[in-house]
């Protein structure tokens, strides 16, 4: 067992026994470590959060009104990591709604990435020629307040994938140009082993599908789900995993164990992070997170500019902030620790990488480039270049 890379004392500031008491249970380690117990005992009600945290008026009003549109649910595991006294706790900001969620600005969108228009069969987004996004369920272990798919998850808007599977498989069999399937949220790892095994087996039966990956926040919200049986199943179907972490305090000993199991099981691990105001919009926060992930053998893949989803303006930074932050990482630390910063172009343009300009000029076979500390250099093309 490796040592957890970071364990902030605050990360254990709410006792498990205290959470169990709010739930009307007595703490029992075995039950706590059972992912189904965790799912059955998610915290969802204002009264529970009033006992758990010192709520601000903005949080109280958020908890009262937000669930009508987009559910609030937090696993006991994740709840135990929240700082009860600090409303600016970076984990609390991700999962406890505030009344600002009710503010809708004119440029906010319900379907920010224009997925619905690229949906040929329910729950399948086909935007890029060679790869598709398959939406698994309409539930997640906990609900991120900045969710890009809040229009679909938590409110019974989508049938589970197993009921839509015949239509999806028929579409994929017909579209031989598709070589890559990304199964994503609502969280696919909330499926039980047997249906998940069946789903992956059906997909693996399509000869032109070379690459299957799952996008999941379960390792952060519900690390108990990463059982040896699940790892064996993912390994059998040669699946890659894209995890989702936003702050280093999510990397608890349980999460380290889950990542260890996955990495030891031969599952390639990437991570996606959403840039969020007050959560991770500093050089220090991003570095700590990305370094923490590398220690767990997880490669940071994308850093997303937060999508303009309705009611998320209070969590979004400017693009300039993102550019400045990524410039402080690129070249300043391990290349593997630097994800690609992208804007998922509103309206359905797909992911567009963003960085400060490094190619200052390129004329007559001469490229003028700027390095990580702002110095300028020239690269000259070979004379017989194409
Ligand atoms: C992100 C995404 C993919 C996968 O894109 P990669 O750059 O290959 O990770 C595929 N389809 C849709 C609709 C997506 O949003």
């Amino acid at each position: 067992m490796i040592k957890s890379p970071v364990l902030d004392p605050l990360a254990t500031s709410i006792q498990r026994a205290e959470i169990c008491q709010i739930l009307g249970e007595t703490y029992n380690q075995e039950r706590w470590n059972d992912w189904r117990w965790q799912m059955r005992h998610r915290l969802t009600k204002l009264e529970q959060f009033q006992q758990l945290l010192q709520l601000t008026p903005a949080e109280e009003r958020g908890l009262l009104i937000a669930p009508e549109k987009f559910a609030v649910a937090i696993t006991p595991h994740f709840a135990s990591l929240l700082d009860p006294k600090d409303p600016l706790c970076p984990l609390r900001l991700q999962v406890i709604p505030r009344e600002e969620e009710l503010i809708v600005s004119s440029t906010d969108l319900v379907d920010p990435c224009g997925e619905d228009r690229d949906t040929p069969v329910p729950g399948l987004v086909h935007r890029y020629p060679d790869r598709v996004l398959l939406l698994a369920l309409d539930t997640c272990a906990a609900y991120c307040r900045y969710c890009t798919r809040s229009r679909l998850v938590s409110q019974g808007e989508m049938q589970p994938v197993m009921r839509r599977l015949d239509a999806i498989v028929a579409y994929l069999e017909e579209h031989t140009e598709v070589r890559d399937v990304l199964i994503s949220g609502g969280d696919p790892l909330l499926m039980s082993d047997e249906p998940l095994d069946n789903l992956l087996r059906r997909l693996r039966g399509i000869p032109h599908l070379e690459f299957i990956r799952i996008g999941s926040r379960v390792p952060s919200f519900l690390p108990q789900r990463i059982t040896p049986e699940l790892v064996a199943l993912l390994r059998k179907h040669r699946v890659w995993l894209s995890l989702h972490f936003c702050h280093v305090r999510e990397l608890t000993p349980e999460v380290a164990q889950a990542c260890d199991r996955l990495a030891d099981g031969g599952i390639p691990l990437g991570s996606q992070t959403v840039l969020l105001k007050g959560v991770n919009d500093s050089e220090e926060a991003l570095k700590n997170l990305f370094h923490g992930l590398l220690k767990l053998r997880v490669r940071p893949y994308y850093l997303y500019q937060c999508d303009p989803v309705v009611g998320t303006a209070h969590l979004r930074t400017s693009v300039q902030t993102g550019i400045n932050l990524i410039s402080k990482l690129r070249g300043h630390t391990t290349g593997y620790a630097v994800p690609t910063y992208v804007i998922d172009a509103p309206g359905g343009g797909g992911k567009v990488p963003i960085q400060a300009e490094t190619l200052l000029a390129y004329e007559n076979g001469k490229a003028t480039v700027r390095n990580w500390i702002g110095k300028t250099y020239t690269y000259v093309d070979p004379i017989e270049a194409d």
Side-chain angles (χ1 to χ4, degrees):
M1 214 13 228
I2 57 160
K3 260 189 17 219
S4 171
V6 203
L7 183 60
D8 192 306
L10 273 174
T12 51
S13 58
I14 302 183
Q15 298 299 317
R16 292 173 176 186
E18 198 183 317
I19 291 174
C20 289
Q21 196 187 353
I22 293 171
L23 294 165
E25 296 264 319
T26 42
Y27 175 69
N28 169 303
Q29 192 176 351
E30 203 176 312
R31 280 202 301 261
W32 183 275
N33 291 335
D34 173 357
W35 71 275
R36 293 177 188 282
W37 183 90
Q38 287 274 336
M39 282 301 286
R40 276 198 308 274
H41 291 88
R42 293 186 301 169
L43 293 103
T44 57
K45 297 193 194 80
L46 173 62
E47 306 81 73
Q48 294 172 324
F49 293 111
Q50 281 167 331
Q51 293 173 65
L52 187 75
L53 310 167
Q54 289 176 15
L55 294 174
T56 65
E59 286 176 317
E60 291 227 349
R61 279 195 287 275
L63 283 163
L64 206 58
I65 304 166
E68 286 169 26
K69 286 189 176 161
F70 182 42
V72 173
I74 304 175
T75 54
H77 165 78
F78 205 77
S80 77
L81 309 179
L82 306 181
D83 185 325
K85 295 205 180 79
D86 181 10
L88 300 179
C89 156
L91 305 196
R92 194 157 149 173
L93 290 173
Q94 293 181 58
V95 292
I96 301 284
R98 284 182 289 165
E99 69 176 335
E100 290 97 311
E101 274 190 25
L102 309 168
I103 301 170
V104 178
S105 83
S106 61
T107 51
D108 285 359
L109 297 165
V110 173
D111 175 20
C113 303
E115 291 178 343
D116 294 345
R117 76 188 63 169
D118 285 334
T119 293
V121 259
L124 192 77
V125 184
H126 193 180
R127 165 164 306 145
Y128 304 102
D130 72 328
R131 54 207 193 279
V132 294
L133 166 65
L134 200 174
L135 306 179
L137 305 174
D138 74 346
T139 45
C140 287
Y143 293 105
C144 312
R145 300 326 294 171
Y146 52 88
C147 178
T148 194
R149 260 174 232 127
S150 52
R151 71 187 186 284
L152 295 178
V153 298
S154 95
Q155 307 288 1
E157 288 291 317
M158 203 171 49
Q159 287 209 319
V161 62
M162 296 316 279
R163 278 198 231 139
R164 298 177 269 117
L165 192 56
D166 289 341
I168 288 169
V169 169
Y171 180 89
L172 292 174
E173 280 174 341
E174 203 175 304
H175 288 262
T176 51
E177 73 277 19
V178 177
R179 41 163 289 284
D180 168 357
V181 177
L182 160 57
I183 311 169
S184 186
D187 208 304
L189 294 188
L190 290 185
M191 296 172 76
S192 303
D193 291 358
E194 199 186 320
L196 185 61
D197 191 20
N198 288 336
L199 168 63
L200 294 170
R201 185 158 354 98
R202 290 285 297 275
L203 294 176
R204 276 293 177 221
I206 303 172
H208 51 274
L209 288 188
E210 309 170 340
F211 185 61
I212 300 180
R213 52 182 153 160
I214 290 178
S216 171
R217 201 175 184 178
V218 150
S220 165
F221 284 147
L222 187 64
Q224 294 80 7
R225 173 68 185 103
I226 310 301
T227 59
E229 295 75 22
L230 177 70
V231 174
L233 192 166
L234 298 173
R235 178 194 171 111
K236 182 174 74 175
H237 294 291
R238 298 187 176 261
V239 172
W240 287 49
L241 277 192
S242 270
L243 316 180
H244 175 27
F245 294 100
C246 285
H247 195 273
V248 71
R249 274 197 221 156
E250 293 165 44
L251 308 181
T252 65
E254 295 81 9
V255 172
Q257 189 192 29
C259 291
D260 248 12
R261 274 189 183 159
L262 290 163
D264 289 350
I267 316 297
L269 301 174
S271 170
Q272 316 196 84
T273 298
V274 179
L275 181 59
L276 295 167
K277 197 195 236 166
V279 173
N280 56 21
D281 59 341
S282 72
E283 182 187 346
E284 190 195 10
L286 288 181
K287 254 193 196 163
N288 286 343
L289 172 62
F290 298 147
H291 289 171
L293 288 169
L294 282 195
K295 287 194 237 177
L296 299 180
R297 291 178 282 174
V298 180
R299 160 77 158 108
Y301 178 43
Y302 282 136
L303 173 67
Y304 289 96
Q305 176 65 18
C306 184
D307 291 329
V309 194
V310 273
T312 61
H314 59 293
L315 290 171
R316 304 202 296 263
T317 68
S318 67
V319 173
Q320 189 63 55
T321 297
I323 293 172
N324 294 347
L325 287 170
I326 212 75
S327 301
K328 285 180 187 152
L329 297 177
R330 174 61 64 201
H332 294 270
T333 185
T334 315
Y336 277 128
V338 186
T340 305
Y341 172 47
V342 293
I343 294 179
D344 210 332
K351 298 179 183 74
V352 181
I354 307 291
Q355 61 171 9
E357 253 178 306
T358 54
L359 183 63
L360 301 183
Y362 184 37
E363 293 168 323
N364 307 322
K366 274 190 191 171
T368 310
V369 296
R370 184 163 49 201
N371 81 348
W372 60 292
I373 41 172
K375 286 195 182 167
T376 308
Y377 298 82
T378 304
Y379 177 91
V380 183
D381 285 340
I383 293 163
E384 306 241 346
D386 38 42

